[in-house]
Amino acid sequence: MATVLIIGASRGVGLATVKAALEAGHSVRALARSARRIPVAHPKLEKMAGDALEMATVKRALTGVDVVTQSLGVSAGPEIILKPTRFFSKATRVLVTAMEEAQVRRLICVTGFGAGDSRGHGGFLYSVAFHLLLGRAL
């Protein structure tokens, strides 16, 4: 079984990934700013508090890891609409650099709808709403 680092493990897709990886028998290191609030207790779960933008934290989290899953999110609020964010690209840049140094070669990233292959497949109304509400974040 693999040792999996899950970045963004405290909620949503990240938390579901923690549960699924543990059920599959993997060892999991769950990195999140609010790691202590992860509502799972398991002997193969290591909760690690930290920021995905801090290189030292990410390097430490990668120690002994076979695969990484990144499922970061941003807090809901007016700033998601009003301010541009580079959080996802900055965190991915930090992660990929650290993975290269640690020679960890497997990465699974979860992005929002409207990115990658799903871009442009939501229809006209979705596209308008997406660009007005989430265009800056994604």
Side-chain angles (χ1 to χ4, degrees), residues 51-109:
D51 190 327
L53 295 175
E54 294 178 359
M55 181 64 78
T57 299
V58 175
K59 284 182 178 181
R60 193 168 51 254
L62 284 167
T63 303
V65 164
D66 301 302
V67 62
V68 178
T69 297
Q70 183 187 51
S71 57
L72 296 169
V74 292
S75 298
E79 62 276 357
I80 194 171
I81 298 169
L82 301 173
K83 294 182 182 177
T85 180
R86 300 287 179 255
F87 176 66
F88 301 108
S89 55
K90 287 179 181 178
T92 302
R93 192 172 300 114
V94 168
L95 176 58
V96 169
T97 300
M99 286 179 68
E100 287 172 344
E101 289 181 26
Q103 297 183 348
V104 176
R105 306 245 183 262
R106 294 182 183 106
L107 172 61
I108 301 166
C109 284

Short mmCIF file of all heavy atoms in Angstrom, two decimals, residues 51-109:
data_model
loop_
_atom_site.label_atom_id
_atom_site.label_comp_id
_atom_site.label_asym_id
_atom_site.label_seq_id
_atom_site.Cartn_x
_atom_site.Cartn_y
_atom_site.Cartn_z
N ASP A 51 0.64 25.31 5.74
CA ASP A 51 0.20 26.13 4.62
C ASP A 51 0.81 25.59 3.33
O ASP A 51 2.03 25.42 3.24
CB ASP A 51 0.66 27.57 4.86
CG ASP A 51 0.07 28.56 3.89
OD1 ASP A 51 -0.18 28.19 2.72
OD2 ASP A 51 -0.14 29.71 4.30
N ALA A 52 -0.02 25.36 2.33
CA ALA A 52 0.43 24.82 1.05
C ALA A 52 1.32 25.78 0.28
O ALA A 52 1.96 25.39 -0.70
CB ALA A 52 -0.77 24.44 0.19
N LEU A 53 1.40 27.03 0.71
CA LEU A 53 2.25 28.01 0.05
C LEU A 53 3.66 28.07 0.66
O LEU A 53 4.52 28.75 0.12
CB LEU A 53 1.62 29.40 0.11
CG LEU A 53 0.30 29.55 -0.66
CD1 LEU A 53 -0.29 30.93 -0.41
CD2 LEU A 53 0.49 29.30 -2.14
N GLU A 54 3.89 27.37 1.77
CA GLU A 54 5.18 27.39 2.44
C GLU A 54 6.04 26.21 2.00
O GLU A 54 5.73 25.06 2.31
CB GLU A 54 4.99 27.38 3.95
CG GLU A 54 4.33 28.63 4.48
CD GLU A 54 4.09 28.59 5.97
OE1 GLU A 54 4.41 27.58 6.63
OE2 GLU A 54 3.56 29.60 6.49
N MET A 55 7.11 26.50 1.30
CA MET A 55 7.97 25.46 0.75
C MET A 55 8.47 24.50 1.83
O MET A 55 8.47 23.28 1.63
CB MET A 55 9.15 26.10 0.01
CG MET A 55 10.10 25.10 -0.63
SD MET A 55 9.36 24.10 -1.96
CE MET A 55 9.37 25.27 -3.29
N ALA A 56 8.92 25.02 2.97
CA ALA A 56 9.46 24.15 4.03
C ALA A 56 8.40 23.17 4.52
O ALA A 56 8.69 21.99 4.76
CB ALA A 56 9.99 24.99 5.18
N THR A 57 7.17 23.63 4.66
CA THR A 57 6.07 22.77 5.11
C THR A 57 5.80 21.67 4.09
O THR A 57 5.65 20.50 4.44
CB THR A 57 4.79 23.60 5.33
OG1 THR A 57 5.05 24.56 6.35
CG2 THR A 57 3.61 22.74 5.71
N VAL A 58 5.74 22.05 2.83
CA VAL A 58 5.45 21.08 1.77
C VAL A 58 6.58 20.06 1.66
O VAL A 58 6.33 18.85 1.53
CB VAL A 58 5.18 21.80 0.42
CG1 VAL A 58 5.01 20.80 -0.70
CG2 VAL A 58 3.95 22.69 0.55
N LYS A 59 7.82 20.50 1.75
CA LYS A 59 8.95 19.56 1.71
C LYS A 59 8.87 18.57 2.86
O LYS A 59 9.08 17.37 2.68
CB LYS A 59 10.28 20.32 1.77
CG LYS A 59 10.66 20.99 0.48
CD LYS A 59 12.01 21.68 0.63
CE LYS A 59 12.45 22.33 -0.66
NZ LYS A 59 13.77 22.97 -0.54
N ARG A 60 8.56 19.05 4.05
CA ARG A 60 8.44 18.17 5.21
C ARG A 60 7.29 17.17 5.01
O ARG A 60 7.42 15.99 5.33
CB ARG A 60 8.22 19.02 6.46
CG ARG A 60 8.39 18.31 7.76
CD ARG A 60 8.45 19.23 8.98
NE ARG A 60 7.34 20.20 9.07
CZ ARG A 60 7.45 21.50 8.82
NH1 ARG A 60 8.61 22.02 8.46
NH2 ARG A 60 6.41 22.30 8.93
N ALA A 61 6.20 17.62 4.45
CA ALA A 61 5.04 16.76 4.21
C ALA A 61 5.33 15.67 3.19
O ALA A 61 4.74 14.59 3.23
CB ALA A 61 3.85 17.59 3.77
N LEU A 62 6.26 15.92 2.27
CA LEU A 62 6.58 14.96 1.21
C LEU A 62 7.49 13.81 1.66
O LEU A 62 7.63 12.83 0.94
CB LEU A 62 7.24 15.69 0.03
CG LEU A 62 6.30 16.49 -0.86
CD1 LEU A 62 7.10 17.40 -1.77
CD2 LEU A 62 5.40 15.56 -1.66
N THR A 63 8.07 13.92 2.83
CA THR A 63 8.99 12.90 3.31
C THR A 63 8.30 11.54 3.39
O THR A 63 7.30 11.37 4.08
CB THR A 63 9.55 13.28 4.70
OG1 THR A 63 10.17 14.55 4.61
CG2 THR A 63 10.57 12.26 5.18
N GLY A 64 8.83 10.57 2.64
CA GLY A 64 8.31 9.21 2.67
C GLY A 64 7.01 8.98 1.94
O GLY A 64 6.36 7.96 2.10
N VAL A 65 6.64 9.91 1.08
CA VAL A 65 5.36 9.85 0.37
C VAL A 65 5.54 9.23 -1.01
O VAL A 65 6.55 9.45 -1.67
CB VAL A 65 4.77 11.28 0.26
CG1 VAL A 65 3.67 11.36 -0.75
CG2 VAL A 65 4.28 11.75 1.62
N ASP A 66 4.54 8.45 -1.44
CA ASP A 66 4.57 7.82 -2.76
C ASP A 66 3.76 8.60 -3.80
O ASP A 66 4.07 8.59 -4.98
CB ASP A 66 3.99 6.40 -2.68
CG ASP A 66 4.77 5.53 -1.72
OD1 ASP A 66 5.99 5.37 -1.91
OD2 ASP A 66 4.15 5.02 -0.75
N VAL A 67 2.69 9.23 -3.36
CA VAL A 67 1.78 9.93 -4.26
C VAL A 67 1.16 11.11 -3.53
O VAL A 67 0.99 11.08 -2.31
CB VAL A 67 0.69 8.97 -4.80
CG1 VAL A 67 -0.18 8.43 -3.71
CG2 VAL A 67 -0.15 9.62 -5.89
N VAL A 68 0.83 12.16 -4.29
CA VAL A 68 0.24 13.37 -3.72
C VAL A 68 -1.09 13.65 -4.41
O VAL A 68 -1.20 13.54 -5.63
CB VAL A 68 1.17 14.60 -3.93
CG1 VAL A 68 0.52 15.86 -3.37
CG2 VAL A 68 2.53 14.36 -3.32
N THR A 69 -2.07 14.00 -3.61
CA THR A 69 -3.34 14.50 -4.13
C THR A 69 -3.51 15.92 -3.62
O THR A 69 -3.39 16.17 -2.43
CB THR A 69 -4.52 13.63 -3.65
OG1 THR A 69 -4.37 12.32 -4.16
CG2 THR A 69 -5.84 14.19 -4.14
N GLN A 70 -3.76 16.84 -4.54
CA GLN A 70 -3.95 18.24 -4.18
C GLN A 70 -5.39 18.62 -4.49
O GLN A 70 -5.84 18.51 -5.63
CB GLN A 70 -2.99 19.13 -4.96
CG GLN A 70 -3.09 20.58 -4.59
CD GLN A 70 -2.25 21.45 -5.48
OE1 GLN A 70 -2.36 21.36 -6.70
NE2 GLN A 70 -1.43 22.30 -4.89
N SER A 71 -6.10 19.04 -3.46
CA SER A 71 -7.50 19.44 -3.64
C SER A 71 -7.77 20.68 -2.79
O SER A 71 -8.52 20.65 -1.84
CB SER A 71 -8.44 18.30 -3.24
OG SER A 71 -8.20 17.90 -1.91
N LEU A 72 -7.12 21.75 -3.16
CA LEU A 72 -7.21 22.99 -2.42
C LEU A 72 -8.50 23.73 -2.72
O LEU A 72 -9.08 23.59 -3.80
CB LEU A 72 -6.03 23.89 -2.77
CG LEU A 72 -4.66 23.34 -2.38
CD1 LEU A 72 -3.56 24.18 -3.02
CD2 LEU A 72 -4.52 23.31 -0.88
N GLY A 73 -8.93 24.53 -1.78
CA GLY A 73 -10.09 25.38 -1.98
C GLY A 73 -9.84 26.74 -1.39
O GLY A 73 -8.89 26.94 -0.64
N VAL A 74 -10.67 27.68 -1.75
CA VAL A 74 -10.59 29.02 -1.18
C VAL A 74 -11.84 29.27 -0.37
O VAL A 74 -12.89 28.71 -0.64
CB VAL A 74 -10.42 30.11 -2.27
CG1 VAL A 74 -9.07 30.00 -2.94
CG2 VAL A 74 -11.53 30.05 -3.29
N SER A 75 -11.72 30.11 0.63
CA SER A 75 -12.86 30.44 1.49
C SER A 75 -13.91 31.21 0.70
O SER A 75 -13.59 32.08 -0.10
CB SER A 75 -12.40 31.27 2.67
OG SER A 75 -11.48 30.54 3.43
N ALA A 76 -15.16 30.89 0.97
CA ALA A 76 -16.26 31.61 0.32
C ALA A 76 -16.39 32.99 0.95
O ALA A 76 -16.26 33.14 2.16
CB ALA A 76 -17.55 30.83 0.46
N GLY A 77 -16.62 33.96 0.14
CA GLY A 77 -16.79 35.32 0.63
C GLY A 77 -16.67 36.29 -0.51
O GLY A 77 -16.37 35.91 -1.65
N PRO A 78 -16.88 37.57 -0.24
CA PRO A 78 -16.86 38.56 -1.31
C PRO A 78 -15.52 38.67 -2.03
O PRO A 78 -15.45 38.97 -3.20
CB PRO A 78 -17.21 39.88 -0.62
CG PRO A 78 -17.20 39.61 0.83
CD PRO A 78 -17.18 38.14 1.05
N GLU A 79 -14.43 38.36 -1.30
CA GLU A 79 -13.11 38.48 -1.93
C GLU A 79 -12.91 37.51 -3.10
O GLU A 79 -12.16 37.78 -4.01
CB GLU A 79 -11.98 38.31 -0.90
CG GLU A 79 -11.95 36.96 -0.22
CD GLU A 79 -12.89 36.82 0.97
OE1 GLU A 79 -13.56 37.79 1.36
OE2 GLU A 79 -12.96 35.72 1.51
N ILE A 80 -13.63 36.39 -3.09
CA ILE A 80 -13.50 35.43 -4.19
C ILE A 80 -14.03 36.04 -5.50
O ILE A 80 -13.57 35.70 -6.58
CB ILE A 80 -14.20 34.09 -3.87
CG1 ILE A 80 -13.76 33.01 -4.86
CG2 ILE A 80 -15.69 34.22 -3.89
CD1 ILE A 80 -14.21 31.63 -4.50
N ILE A 81 -14.98 36.95 -5.39
CA ILE A 81 -15.54 37.60 -6.57
C ILE A 81 -14.79 38.88 -6.91
O ILE A 81 -14.55 39.19 -8.06
CB ILE A 81 -17.04 37.91 -6.35
CG1 ILE A 81 -17.82 36.61 -6.14
CG2 ILE A 81 -17.62 38.69 -7.52
CD1 ILE A 81 -19.24 36.82 -5.67
N LEU A 82 -14.39 39.62 -5.89
CA LEU A 82 -13.85 40.96 -6.09
C LEU A 82 -12.35 41.00 -6.33
O LEU A 82 -11.86 41.94 -6.94
CB LEU A 82 -14.20 41.83 -4.88
CG LEU A 82 -15.70 41.97 -4.60
CD1 LEU A 82 -15.93 42.71 -3.29
CD2 LEU A 82 -16.41 42.65 -5.76
N LYS A 83 -11.62 40.03 -5.82
CA LYS A 83 -10.16 40.08 -5.93
C LYS A 83 -9.64 38.89 -6.74
O LYS A 83 -10.10 37.77 -6.56
CB LYS A 83 -9.51 40.02 -4.55
CG LYS A 83 -9.79 41.20 -3.67
CD LYS A 83 -9.05 41.02 -2.36
CE LYS A 83 -9.32 42.16 -1.40
NZ LYS A 83 -8.65 41.93 -0.11
N PRO A 84 -8.66 39.13 -7.60
CA PRO A 84 -8.06 38.00 -8.29
C PRO A 84 -7.23 37.17 -7.32
O PRO A 84 -6.71 37.69 -6.33
CB PRO A 84 -7.16 38.66 -9.35
CG PRO A 84 -6.89 40.02 -8.82
CD PRO A 84 -8.08 40.40 -7.98
N THR A 85 -7.14 35.88 -7.56
CA THR A 85 -6.32 35.04 -6.71
C THR A 85 -5.36 34.23 -7.57
O THR A 85 -5.70 33.83 -8.68
CB THR A 85 -7.16 34.11 -5.82
OG1 THR A 85 -6.26 33.33 -5.02
CG2 THR A 85 -8.02 33.15 -6.64
N ARG A 86 -4.21 34.01 -7.05
CA ARG A 86 -3.21 33.16 -7.70
C ARG A 86 -2.88 31.99 -6.78
O ARG A 86 -1.86 31.34 -6.92
CB ARG A 86 -1.94 33.96 -8.02
CG ARG A 86 -2.17 35.14 -8.94
CD ARG A 86 -2.42 34.68 -10.37
NE ARG A 86 -2.66 35.82 -11.23
CZ ARG A 86 -3.85 36.16 -11.69
NH1 ARG A 86 -4.90 35.47 -11.39
NH2 ARG A 86 -3.99 37.21 -12.48
N PHE A 87 -3.76 31.76 -5.81
CA PHE A 87 -3.52 30.72 -4.81
C PHE A 87 -3.25 29.36 -5.42
O PHE A 87 -2.29 28.69 -5.06
CB PHE A 87 -4.71 30.65 -3.85
CG PHE A 87 -4.62 29.55 -2.84
CD1 PHE A 87 -3.63 29.58 -1.86
CD2 PHE A 87 -5.50 28.49 -2.84
CE1 PHE A 87 -3.53 28.57 -0.92
CE2 PHE A 87 -5.42 27.48 -1.92
CZ PHE A 87 -4.43 27.52 -0.95
N PHE A 88 -4.10 28.94 -6.35
CA PHE A 88 -3.95 27.60 -6.93
C PHE A 88 -2.65 27.47 -7.70
O PHE A 88 -1.92 26.48 -7.55
CB PHE A 88 -5.15 27.28 -7.84
CG PHE A 88 -6.46 27.33 -7.13
CD1 PHE A 88 -7.35 28.38 -7.36
CD2 PHE A 88 -6.82 26.36 -6.22
CE1 PHE A 88 -8.57 28.44 -6.70
CE2 PHE A 88 -8.03 26.42 -5.55
CZ PHE A 88 -8.90 27.47 -5.78
N SER A 89 -2.32 28.45 -8.53
CA SER A 89 -1.09 28.36 -9.32
C SER A 89 0.14 28.48 -8.43
O SER A 89 1.13 27.77 -8.64
CB SER A 89 -1.07 29.42 -10.43
OG SER A 89 -1.25 30.71 -9.91
N LYS A 90 0.12 29.34 -7.42
CA LYS A 90 1.27 29.46 -6.51
C LYS A 90 1.48 28.17 -5.73
O LYS A 90 2.61 27.69 -5.59
CB LYS A 90 1.08 30.63 -5.54
CG LYS A 90 1.23 31.98 -6.18
CD LYS A 90 1.00 33.08 -5.14
CE LYS A 90 1.12 34.45 -5.74
NZ LYS A 90 0.86 35.51 -4.74
N ALA A 91 0.41 27.62 -5.19
CA ALA A 91 0.53 26.38 -4.40
C ALA A 91 1.01 25.23 -5.27
O ALA A 91 1.83 24.41 -4.83
CB ALA A 91 -0.81 26.04 -3.76
N THR A 92 0.55 25.16 -6.50
CA THR A 92 0.99 24.09 -7.40
C THR A 92 2.46 24.26 -7.76
O THR A 92 3.20 23.28 -7.83
CB THR A 92 0.11 24.05 -8.67
OG1 THR A 92 -1.25 23.85 -8.26
CG2 THR A 92 0.54 22.92 -9.60
N ARG A 93 2.89 25.49 -7.96
CA ARG A 93 4.31 25.75 -8.25
C ARG A 93 5.19 25.30 -7.08
O ARG A 93 6.22 24.65 -7.27
CB ARG A 93 4.52 27.23 -8.56
CG ARG A 93 5.89 27.53 -9.14
CD ARG A 93 6.01 28.98 -9.62
NE ARG A 93 5.03 29.27 -10.66
CZ ARG A 93 4.02 30.14 -10.53
NH1 ARG A 93 3.86 30.83 -9.42
NH2 ARG A 93 3.18 30.34 -11.52
N VAL A 94 4.79 25.63 -5.86
CA VAL A 94 5.52 25.21 -4.66
C VAL A 94 5.56 23.68 -4.60
O VAL A 94 6.62 23.07 -4.39
CB VAL A 94 4.88 25.79 -3.38
CG1 VAL A 94 5.43 25.13 -2.13
CG2 VAL A 94 5.09 27.30 -3.32
N LEU A 95 4.42 23.06 -4.80
CA LEU A 95 4.32 21.60 -4.70
C LEU A 95 5.18 20.90 -5.75
O LEU A 95 5.94 19.98 -5.42
CB LEU A 95 2.86 21.16 -4.84
CG LEU A 95 2.61 19.65 -4.86
CD1 LEU A 95 3.14 18.99 -3.59
CD2 LEU A 95 1.14 19.36 -5.06
N VAL A 96 5.08 21.30 -7.00
CA VAL A 96 5.83 20.63 -8.06
C VAL A 96 7.34 20.79 -7.85
O VAL A 96 8.11 19.84 -8.02
CB VAL A 96 5.39 21.14 -9.46
CG1 VAL A 96 6.33 20.66 -10.55
CG2 VAL A 96 3.96 20.69 -9.75
N THR A 97 7.77 21.97 -7.43
CA THR A 97 9.19 22.19 -7.14
C THR A 97 9.65 21.27 -6.02
O THR A 97 10.70 20.61 -6.12
CB THR A 97 9.44 23.66 -6.75
OG1 THR A 97 9.05 24.49 -7.85
CG2 THR A 97 10.89 23.91 -6.42
N ALA A 98 8.88 21.19 -4.94
CA ALA A 98 9.23 20.32 -3.82
C ALA A 98 9.20 18.85 -4.22
O ALA A 98 10.05 18.06 -3.78
CB ALA A 98 8.29 20.58 -2.65
N MET A 99 8.22 18.46 -5.04
CA MET A 99 8.14 17.07 -5.49
C MET A 99 9.35 16.70 -6.34
O MET A 99 9.87 15.58 -6.23
CB MET A 99 6.84 16.84 -6.29
CG MET A 99 5.60 16.79 -5.43
SD MET A 99 4.09 16.55 -6.40
CE MET A 99 4.35 14.86 -7.00
N GLU A 100 9.79 17.60 -7.20
CA GLU A 100 10.98 17.33 -8.02
C GLU A 100 12.19 17.07 -7.13
O GLU A 100 12.94 16.13 -7.35
CB GLU A 100 11.25 18.49 -8.98
CG GLU A 100 10.26 18.55 -10.13
CD GLU A 100 10.39 19.80 -10.98
OE1 GLU A 100 11.03 20.79 -10.54
OE2 GLU A 100 9.83 19.80 -12.09
N GLU A 101 12.37 17.91 -6.11
CA GLU A 101 13.49 17.74 -5.19
C GLU A 101 13.39 16.42 -4.41
O GLU A 101 14.39 15.77 -4.17
CB GLU A 101 13.58 18.91 -4.21
CG GLU A 101 14.05 20.20 -4.86
CD GLU A 101 14.15 21.33 -3.85
OE1 GLU A 101 14.34 21.08 -2.65
OE2 GLU A 101 14.04 22.50 -4.30
N ALA A 102 12.18 16.06 -4.00
CA ALA A 102 11.95 14.84 -3.22
C ALA A 102 11.83 13.60 -4.10
O ALA A 102 11.72 12.49 -3.59
CB ALA A 102 10.70 15.00 -2.37
N GLN A 103 11.83 13.79 -5.40
CA GLN A 103 11.68 12.71 -6.38
C GLN A 103 10.37 11.93 -6.20
O GLN A 103 10.33 10.71 -6.35
CB GLN A 103 12.89 11.79 -6.37
CG GLN A 103 14.17 12.51 -6.77
CD GLN A 103 15.37 11.60 -6.84
OE1 GLN A 103 15.35 10.45 -6.39
NE2 GLN A 103 16.43 12.10 -7.44
N VAL A 104 9.33 12.66 -5.87
CA VAL A 104 7.98 12.09 -5.83
C VAL A 104 7.37 12.37 -7.19
O VAL A 104 7.31 13.52 -7.62
CB VAL A 104 7.13 12.71 -4.70
CG1 VAL A 104 5.71 12.17 -4.73
CG2 VAL A 104 7.78 12.44 -3.34
N ARG A 105 6.93 11.34 -7.89
CA ARG A 105 6.56 11.48 -9.29
C ARG A 105 5.06 11.39 -9.58
O ARG A 105 4.64 11.58 -10.71
CB ARG A 105 7.26 10.41 -10.12
CG ARG A 105 8.76 10.40 -9.91
CD ARG A 105 9.47 10.77 -11.18
NE ARG A 105 10.92 10.70 -11.04
CZ ARG A 105 11.69 11.74 -10.79
NH1 ARG A 105 11.16 12.92 -10.62
NH2 ARG A 105 12.99 11.61 -10.70
N ARG A 106 4.25 11.07 -8.58
CA ARG A 106 2.82 10.90 -8.84
C ARG A 106 2.02 12.02 -8.19
O ARG A 106 2.09 12.22 -6.98
CB ARG A 106 2.35 9.55 -8.29
CG ARG A 106 2.97 8.39 -9.03
CD ARG A 106 2.44 7.08 -8.48
NE ARG A 106 3.08 5.97 -9.14
CZ ARG A 106 4.00 5.20 -8.59
NH1 ARG A 106 4.39 5.42 -7.34
NH2 ARG A 106 4.53 4.20 -9.24
N LEU A 107 1.23 12.71 -9.01
CA LEU A 107 0.43 13.85 -8.54
C LEU A 107 -0.96 13.79 -9.16
O LEU A 107 -1.10 13.64 -10.37
CB LEU A 107 1.11 15.17 -8.90
CG LEU A 107 0.32 16.46 -8.66
CD1 LEU A 107 -0.01 16.63 -7.18
CD2 LEU A 107 1.09 17.66 -9.20
N ILE A 108 -1.96 13.92 -8.31
CA ILE A 108 -3.35 14.03 -8.75
C ILE A 108 -3.85 15.37 -8.27
O ILE A 108 -3.82 15.66 -7.07
CB ILE A 108 -4.22 12.90 -8.17
CG1 ILE A 108 -3.69 11.53 -8.59
CG2 ILE A 108 -5.69 13.09 -8.58
CD1 ILE A 108 -4.27 10.38 -7.80
N CYS A 109 -4.30 16.24 -9.19
CA CYS A 109 -4.83 17.55 -8.83
C CYS A 109 -6.31 17.59 -9.15
O CYS A 109 -6.73 17.14 -10.21
CB CYS A 109 -4.14 18.66 -9.62
SG CYS A 109 -2.50 19.05 -9.05
#
